[in-house]
Amino acid sequence: MEVTLDQVRSVFEDVLQKRMTREEASVWAFSVIVASDNDSLTLVPNEKKDKLWKGILYLGGIDLIGIPYGYLFYEEDIIIEMPELSINKMRLYETKLKGKL
């Protein structure tokens, strides 16, 4: 399995724009983790594999439930995490605002 930086970025963006549920993103992330456990994972580009892996692990827990109700990570938490993957925060805020108008 090959996972690119663009794919990981896309999953973050899809969650924030409600094109993918948090649960679907977590399932995707865990399929990547299983591929890694089976030594069948390639992260592209290789020189950013640490950032990619951090993003994949974050997505693996993106559906965790906090107390008392709701998700442990708010949308703002997700947006804060995304610059690690070089995702344009302003574009995400603008997109999020358009969806609320």
Side-chain angles (χ1 to χ4, degrees):
M1 170 186 248
E2 181 177 283
V3 176
T4 67
L5 182 59
D6 286 339
Q7 286 175 300
V8 176
R9 285 179 185 149
S10 179
V11 174
F12 272 98
E13 290 174 355
D14 287 350
V15 167
L16 288 172
Q17 295 181 21
K18 310 288 190 239
R19 293 187 299 248
M20 176 183 276
T21 67
R22 290 170 180 243
E23 292 75 18
E24 291 169 330
S26 180
V27 167
W28 176 84
F30 275 100
S31 74
V32 174
I33 292 166
V34 167
S36 175
D37 289 345
N38 294 330
D39 293 325
S40 61
L41 176 65
T42 304
L43 297 174
V44 178
N46 188 53
E47 60 272 7
K48 293 193 177 186
K49 67 181 178 182
D50 291 340
K51 287 185 180 185
L52 278 162
W53 192 245
K54 182 178 177 186
I56 292 162
L57 292 177
Y58 190 92
L59 289 167
I62 205 165
D63 63 338
L64 294 174
I65 301 297
I67 296 177
Y69 302 103
Y71 291 109
L72 180 61
F73 301 110
Y74 296 103
E75 287 183 0
E76 291 76 16
D77 298 322
I78 298 168
I79 292 169
I80 290 167
E81 180 66 22
M82 293 172 69
E84 282 292 315
L85 298 171
S86 304
I87 298 170
N88 186 329
K89 284 184 3 181
M90 284 307 295
R91 189 180 75 206
L92 287 169
Y93 279 122
E94 290 168 3
T95 303
K96 189 175 172 186
L97 288 174
K98 284 180 188 176
K100 291 184 178 185
L101 298 177

